[in-house]
Amino acid sequence: MATDVSNQKFPFSLPDLPYAYEALEPSIDKQTMQIHHDKHHKTYVDKLNEAVEKEQGLHSMTLTELLRDLAKLPESIRTAVKNNGGGHLNHDFFWNIMGPPSKAEPGGALAAAIAKSFGTFADFKKRFGDTSGKHFASGWVALAVANGTQMLEIVELSGHEVVDSRAKTGVLILDVWEHAYYLKYQNRRPDFIAAWWNVVNWASAERRFERGSAAR
Ligand code: MN3
């Protein structure tokens, strides 16, 4: 994953999308992708840099390390790092588990783990979709594997909270902030979620699952 930002250090930077802005049409429209990536995501990167710039002692830490134990950060920048660092990490994750429509379902070890944890693939999609549809206010819904296992769970994250890397590795993530879908879907979040499945990059999710299940 060449564009994975988890190992970035200050100054943080915004990678280009790994595909064209219109590559996810019609599920996610070009204008939404442009504003979401070039404006929203960029703002999180800029604000993260602003916060971390003053704290030279943190310049050697990776984004994952900064987010892993927020209580250790100076209080004056803790909230800014949580919100903007989390926004940077989650958006990068989100862009990279999407792509032009390819295969409709996961294969291999991830498919087996989904079957074991949720029943059929349709059962899993229903559970994940229901959780995403009901999530209150701005946030994210992720599928995560407990590190070093094959055990999957659906995790709800509020604001820009991130999957806790000490215990878990994110496999899939869906942005349910209104800015992710409002231009095309307005209040119809369930329609956005239903269309989003068409652009999930299952090969990328499989690699993330394998990395997490091999992690210690
Ligand atoms: Mn977003």
Side-chain angles (χ1 to χ4, degrees):
M1 283 192 285
T3 59
D4 190 330
V5 302
S6 59
N7 291 317
Q8 278 189 359
K9 296 174 184 173
F10 178 87
F12 300 93
S13 61
L14 177 67
D16 291 337
L17 281 179
Y19 35 75
Y21 294 104
E22 64 271 27
L24 309 183
E25 296 257 12
S27 297
I28 305 180
D29 59 290
K30 179 179 180 179
Q31 191 186 15
T32 294
M33 291 301 289
Q34 284 173 325
I35 295 172
H36 200 173
H37 177 270
D38 296 3
K39 308 291 184 194
H40 290 279
H41 188 172
K42 181 170 190 301
T43 300
Y44 300 130
V45 175
D46 291 346
K47 291 194 169 168
L48 175 63
N49 281 330
E50 239 171 72
V52 176
E53 186 172 20
K54 310 161 217 166
E55 299 290 341
Q56 297 227 345
L58 304 180
H59 291 188
S60 59
M61 290 175 74
T62 67
L63 181 57
T64 298
E65 288 165 348
L66 286 169
L67 292 168
R68 188 174 286 155
D69 201 348
L70 291 163
K72 286 190 179 158
L73 300 181
E75 201 180 345
S76 60
I77 65 161
R78 194 176 298 153
T79 302
V81 171
K82 179 182 179 186
N83 292 339
N84 298 297
H88 185 28
L89 188 76
N90 283 350
H91 282 94
D92 179 69
F93 178 5
F94 184 51
W95 308 137
N96 281 289
I97 54 82
M98 298 192 292
S102 50
K103 57 180 183 172
E105 294 191 17
L110 175 56
I114 285 174
K116 198 170 172 200
S117 299
F118 302 103
T120 66
F121 182 63
D123 292 335
F124 160 67
K125 277 174 75 172
K126 181 162 184 353
R127 278 270 300 278
F128 192 95
D130 286 351
T131 303
S132 302
K134 287 179 194 149
H135 181 82
F136 185 73
S138 297
W140 299 79
V141 175
L143 175 69
V145 59
N147 288 337
T149 77
Q150 312 270 304
M151 282 165 29
L152 291 168
E153 67 173 303
I154 293 169
V155 184
E156 286 192 74
L157 305 162
S158 65
H160 287 319
E161 262 178 0
V162 298
V163 172
D164 180 0
S165 66
R166 291 169 297 193
K168 298 167 200 171
T169 298
V171 174
L172 268 191
I173 196 164
L174 174 59
D175 191 339
V176 294
W177 286 56
E178 280 189 345
H179 69 224
Y181 60 86
Y182 205 84
L183 281 178
K184 182 175 168 89
Y185 296 96
Q186 293 84 47
N187 60 317
R188 303 184 309 278
R189 191 194 290 177
D191 292 355
F192 164 63
I193 297 165
W196 175 72
W197 292 113
N198 297 324
V199 293
V200 170
N201 178 342
W202 286 109
S204 173
E206 287 163 12
R207 285 193 296 274
R208 297 187 66 103
F209 175 77
E210 280 155 25
R211 185 150 52 86
S213 57
R216 280 175 299 150

